[in-house]
Amino acid sequence: MKNLKNTLLLKQLYIQKEIGFCYTSVIPFTDEEPNLSLPDNLSELEQQTNICHLCQLSKYRTNVVFGEGNSNAKLMFVGEGPGANEDEQGKPFVGRSGELLTKMIENVLSIKREDVYIANIVKCRPPNNRTPHEEEAYTCLPYLQKQIQLIQPKIIVTLGATAYKYLTNDDTPVSKIRGIVSEHKNYKIIPTYHPSYLLRNPSAKKYVFEDLKIIKRVLDNL
């Protein structure tokens, strides 16, 4: 509880700094349960993530990459975290990986990219595109969980091992579970390889093509 209170205090101080305060009186905490609720609409949730400094990734970012797409999408893609292009533009999957993901969505699934929703486990770019540390991922995960709650997708496609791990608490390698449909609460999860992996390993594209056909079949049967 002490660490949680310290985190909340730091958050309040950063918020006050953002709106122009140079000095603040002591912010008291009581023994009452702190209010950890997140906004119930995407616009306000995005505003809150934009001023988030709850983990060290906020020190390195240029922009928060909240997510984008259809707020009523049946299909949602979740990746690991922003890269350099995403950090610069504040949008998910806009580099070479993004171009490949767009082709996967539009050429194989036969739907427009803007009709799905795309987000990541963490909203800020890890230095040198490293894998997010556990404390970073778990600190940021409530934002993604709230996005899922508000969007209510029927299918979530996890792109790569990190996305699958933090949405399922399962660290099984993607090679062993790709294309397998599993039920999670109010949606199905279907894991596949991350587009950046495909850029490094083009031979794996054939497996993703098979996964996408499964995704399309499940989507068509909703």
Side-chain angles (χ1 to χ4, degrees):
M1 182 61 72
K2 180 179 178 181
N3 288 339
L4 177 58
K5 289 182 177 180
N6 288 340
T7 298
L8 291 171
L9 174 59
L10 180 62
K11 178 181 177 181
Q12 290 185 46
L13 291 173
Y14 272 117
I15 290 173
Q16 293 194 15
K17 180 179 178 182
E18 289 284 340
I19 61 177
F21 280 91
C22 297
Y23 171 85
T24 182
S25 57
V26 174
I27 301 174
F29 276 110
T30 69
D31 291 331
E32 296 179 1
E33 193 70 22
N35 182 8
L36 301 179
S37 61
L38 291 170
D40 285 323
N41 69 73
L42 286 175
S43 178
E44 291 182 12
L45 183 64
E46 182 172 7
Q47 292 176 26
Q48 184 157 335
T49 63
N50 285 339
I51 57 173
C52 179
H53 295 274
L54 295 180
C55 82
Q56 63 177 349
L57 293 184
S58 64
K59 300 176 183 178
Y60 311 109
R61 72 185 180 219
T62 302
N63 288 293
V64 171
V65 182
F66 178 72
E68 68 174 8
N70 185 344
S71 59
N72 297 304
K74 292 182 179 180
L75 179 61
M76 184 173 183
F77 289 84
V78 176
E80 178 179 294
N85 291 297
E86 290 76 15
D87 178 58
E88 181 180 350
Q89 298 184 40
K91 296 181 178 182
F93 286 90
V94 292
R96 292 179 61 212
S97 292
E99 293 175 1
L100 182 52
L101 178 60
T102 299
K103 290 179 181 179
M104 291 163 56
I105 295 169
E106 297 187 346
N107 296 349
V108 183
L109 299 180
S110 301
I111 55 181
K112 296 180 180 179
R113 173 172 165 143
E114 55 263 34
D115 289 335
V116 306
Y117 197 90
I118 304 173
N120 286 299
I121 294 294
V122 295
K123 309 300 186 190
C124 300
R125 180 195 180 195
N128 301 313
N129 292 347
R130 65 163 169 75
T131 301
H133 296 156
E134 282 199 353
E135 63 270 22
E136 297 163 351
Y138 283 121
T139 297
C140 205
L141 191 59
Y143 292 127
L144 176 63
Q145 292 170 331
K146 191 66 176 184
Q147 285 174 297
I148 293 171
Q149 178 186 334
L150 295 174
I151 295 166
Q152 299 183 344
K154 300 300 182 183
I155 302 172
I156 296 178
V157 177
T158 55
L159 301 170
T162 299
Y164 183 77
K165 173 183 175 179
Y166 288 109
L167 279 181
T168 65
N169 292 315
D170 181 359
D171 57 4
T172 303
V174 175
S175 60
K176 296 184 180 298
I177 42 83
R178 46 153 286 272
I180 296 176
V181 183
S182 57
E183 298 285 344
H184 293 264
K185 298 180 181 179
N186 299 318
Y187 51 82
K188 305 176 190 296
I189 285 184
I190 307 176
T192 192
Y193 290 113
H194 194 286
S196 63
Y197 177 84
L198 301 181
L199 294 175
R200 301 190 302 269
N201 302 274
S203 62
K205 289 183 179 180
K206 61 178 179 283
Y207 301 120
V208 174
F209 180 70
E210 294 300 320
D211 298 342
L212 289 170
K213 290 196 293 184
I214 293 171
I215 294 166
K216 181 173 175 54
R217 183 167 64 249
V218 174
L219 190 61
D220 289 343
N221 289 332
L222 291 176

